[in-house]
Amino acid sequence: MNKAILMGRLTRDPEVRYTQGENQMAIARYTLAVDRRFNRNGDENTADFISCVAFGKAGEFAERYFRKGTKIAVTGRIQTGSYTNKDGVKVYTTDVVVEEQEFAESKNSNGGASDNNYAAPANNSFSAAPMAAGDGFMNIPDGIDEELPFN
């Protein structure tokens, strides 16, 4: 199984390119600074800088909403590769190919780390649902009891 789960902050704004041709696809590349859980040498802030690549809709989402300093959670798979650069030296690469990505904190909790004017997309898919009761559970509208799949 090849599964990577990461949470960290973007080191800079994502770099986005589009494929050529009739059906263009976004390819977003970004680097996450992921704190290490344990410091063996007593270092203060030790982090790993992990390269991520998001394709298609995930790449477009990254382009539109992710900015330097944004804390995000990513799941994906590790992919290795290599190429020969213009000097004839073989370069090895390791990337996390993003399968899912999401914000890991609210916009206001990042302490102003981001100076963008972009708003995160509103989740309108449940806008017609009743408001939650004070106990954290949703109120069930009258007359819907017989439609619920449980007793």
Side-chain angles (χ1 to χ4, degrees):
M1 178 186 311
N2 183 353
K3 187 80 163 177
I5 303 170
L6 307 169
M7 185 179 316
R9 293 194 183 275
L10 293 167
T11 60
R12 62 179 184 264
D13 290 355
E15 178 183 311
V16 182
R17 295 183 179 165
Y18 286 85
T19 60
Q20 300 294 320
E22 187 176 317
N23 297 325
Q24 292 186 344
M25 178 177 61
I27 302 172
R29 292 189 171 277
Y30 53 83
T31 302
L32 281 182
V34 179
D35 290 331
R36 290 189 181 171
R37 192 170 195 152
F38 301 106
N39 299 347
R40 293 181 191 251
N41 301 341
D43 296 335
E44 289 182 16
N45 292 329
T46 305
D48 292 303
F49 297 90
I50 301 172
S51 298
C52 300
V53 60
F55 295 96
K57 295 286 184 191
E60 292 172 14
F61 184 88
E63 177 182 33
R64 188 164 182 186
Y65 299 111
F66 289 172
R67 296 290 174 260
K68 178 181 178 178
T70 304
K71 188 173 187 179
I72 63 171
V74 169
T75 59
R77 62 183 167 80
I78 296 174
Q79 180 174 289
T80 59
S82 65
Y83 64 92
T84 304
N85 69 11
K86 62 183 176 185
D87 298 327
V89 177
K90 192 166 193 173
V91 178
Y92 294 93
T93 62
T94 302
D95 295 309
V96 172
V97 177
V98 174
E99 295 169 356
E100 296 177 45
Q101 60 189 359
E102 60 188 67
F103 295 100
E105 67 184 358
S106 68
K107 183 177 177 182
N108 295 334
S109 67
N110 71 0
S114 167
D115 294 332
N116 63 52
N117 293 323
Y118 296 92
N123 185 358
N124 293 327
S125 60
F126 297 107
S127 61
M131 296 300 292
D135 60 3
F137 291 96
M138 184 176 83
N139 291 325
I140 299 173
D142 294 332
I144 199 170
D145 293 335
E146 57 274 355
E147 295 179 26
L148 295 176
F150 50 87
N151 294 331

